[in-house]
Amino acid sequence: MQSFSVCSLHSRFLLPIILSILHVALAQEGFCSQPSSSIVNSDSITTPLYWKVTNPTLSPSHLQDLPGFTRSVYKRDHALITPESQVFSPLPDWTNTLGAYLISPEMGAHFVMYLAKMQENSKSAIPKDDVERFIFVVQGSAVLTSVSSLSQELSVDSYAYIPPNLEHLITSTYVTTVLVVFERSYVALKNHTTELIVSSTDRQPLLDTPGEVFELRKLLPTSIPYDFNIHIMDFQPGEYLNVKEIHYNQHGLLLLEGQGIYRLGDNWYPVQAGDSIWMAPFVPQWYAALGKTRSRYLLYKDVNRNPL
Ligand code: UGY
Ligand code: MN
């Protein structure tokens, strides 16, 4: 009641004066604002009514701010998870680390892909029995210690493959280290084992890509013991996949740089750095790089095992 009487006092005696001097301030929310913005609206003085209809927002970065707007989708055979949809919570058994699972078996994947945000004095947990782990540093730096080697520092663009059941610890003292992590149950073969690998993208040679134009590096050995690989694929603006791929392998993708269009099934998605994609077996897939800078993505792919 009191606020009503203050407002009506303003309306009768002060409002005409304030309107003529401070109409901009009056239009702001919470200051006895008028219910109808078309009556007292600073915009209406400088811009015509309905001006957004003829001056639409074209920039994707503005679209990000629209309430409820997201480019993320989740479908039976693919998902696009964009940064505004990532949900972080404490990673089970890790210390001072928040995680966002972007791909998991609930989707139909046989692996998990997650972002781990390691804060100061953070520590990893051990994966479950028979689970292999791959980590790639996106931001900051981490130290990997294992029973089979000395401690090694991993900076941005460095990665490690940790074989199943190898005791190890990832720590970070940096604020904030961001890792992308892949884990899956190892499909063992008789007389074969995998080894601890620590390296960086720039130390991997460019590989031949017959019939394609993109540049390809593989971060893991292509030999039989390894049941997945991680590809780093680079496209210059205007380059695209020649093969409109359909294959039995699954993918987990993180777009590290650039922007373009990803085709998944019958859907065409504008994508940019920071986006992640799950591709189920046999989903039609195709990418074209656009924009002004190269596109680089990191791609999980299961290999070297008979699907039967
Ligand atoms: O190797 C691949 O399957 C890769 N070219 N797929 C992709 O980029 N979607
Ligand atoms: Mn593929």
Side-chain angles (χ1 to χ4, degrees):
M1 287 302 275
Q2 205 183 352
S3 68
F4 170 78
S5 58
V6 170
C7 279
S8 58
L9 188 76
H10 282 175
S11 303
R12 246 180 272 163
F13 302 105
L14 301 177
L15 191 58
I17 302 163
I18 294 167
L19 254 180
S20 62
I21 302 167
L22 288 172
H23 59 264
V24 173
L26 246 182
Q28 283 174 0
E29 253 181 23
F31 186 73
C32 290
S33 56
Q34 298 287 330
S36 168
S37 61
S38 63
I39 298 172
V40 180
N41 186 342
S42 60
D43 279 356
S44 65
I45 294 157
T46 52
T47 51
L49 201 62
Y50 306 134
W51 71 281
K52 286 248 173 191
V53 176
T54 47
N55 296 276
T57 304
L58 296 174
S59 162
S61 60
H62 288 131
L63 288 176
Q64 304 286 351
D65 296 333
L66 275 179
F69 176 82
T70 179
R71 289 179 295 110
S72 296
V73 292
Y74 171 53
K75 302 210 176 197
R76 185 194 64 78
D77 57 4
H78 68 270
L80 167 65
I81 309 217
T82 59
E84 74 277 4
S85 301
Q86 293 169 357
V87 178
F88 284 86
S89 46
L91 265 182
D93 303 324
W94 290 53
T95 306
N96 291 342
T97 306
L98 295 174
Y101 284 94
L102 304 172
I103 298 175
S104 82
E106 283 79 9
M107 279 174 167
H110 65 220
F111 65 96
V112 290
M113 168 177 163
Y114 57 96
L115 293 177
K117 275 191 187 169
M118 303 184 77
Q119 312 295 339
E120 247 175 326
N121 303 321
S122 47
K123 276 188 225 165
S124 63
I126 294 278
K128 286 187 177 162
D129 287 353
D130 304 323
V131 167
E132 53 192 337
R133 173 179 274 172
F134 177 92
I135 61 171
F136 181 95
V137 182
V138 177
Q139 177 186 300
S141 77
V143 173
L144 173 68
T145 311
S146 79
V147 286
S148 68
S149 78
L150 296 170
S151 291
Q152 298 183 72
E153 182 158 357
L154 282 82
S155 51
V156 172
D157 223 31
S158 301
Y159 62 88
Y161 166 84
I162 301 127
N165 310 316
L166 180 75
E167 245 182 76
H168 68 280
L169 186 65
I170 306 156
T171 56
S172 178
T173 49
Y174 195 91
V175 185
T176 303
T177 294
V178 180
L179 308 177
V180 55
V181 185
F182 295 88
E183 288 166 4
R184 65 167 290 187
S185 292
Y186 180 60
V187 181
L189 292 177
K190 255 192 198 164
N191 307 322
H192 289 290
T193 52
T194 57
E195 283 173 5
L196 177 73
I197 293 167
V198 179
S199 191
S200 62
T201 303
D202 56 359
R203 285 163 64 186
Q204 305 314 310
L206 283 176
L207 302 173
D208 281 346
T209 54
E212 294 286 4
V213 292
F214 62 83
E215 290 187 337
L216 173 66
R217 292 175 174 85
K218 294 189 181 181
L219 302 188
L220 298 182
T222 54
S223 54
I224 291 296
Y226 296 86
D227 60 2
F228 73 91
N229 214 317
I230 301 289
H231 297 185
I232 298 285
M233 295 173 55
D234 294 342
F235 299 77
Q236 295 307 317
E239 292 183 346
Y240 52 86
L241 284 172
N242 279 323
V243 180
K244 281 60 78 175
E245 299 179 13
I246 297 188
H247 50 62
Y248 77 93
N249 322 71
Q250 310 190 5
H251 285 317
L253 179 154
L254 179 64
L255 193 52
L256 295 169
E257 291 179 66
Q259 54 182 219
I261 300 285
Y262 228 100
R263 178 182 176 170
L264 297 165
D266 290 336
N267 307 276
W268 304 70
Y269 299 109
V271 291
Q272 62 185 358
D275 292 352
S276 53
I277 295 176
W278 143 244
M279 289 177 245
F282 297 103
V283 68
Q285 55 198 257
W286 178 86
Y287 182 63
L290 297 170
K292 294 195 167 96
T293 56
R294 79 165 175 199
S295 283
R296 164 169 283 189
Y297 60 72
L298 176 151
L299 188 80
Y300 166 97
K301 184 174 188 175
D302 53 308
V303 292
N304 288 332
R305 296 296 182 272
N306 188 327
L308 260 189

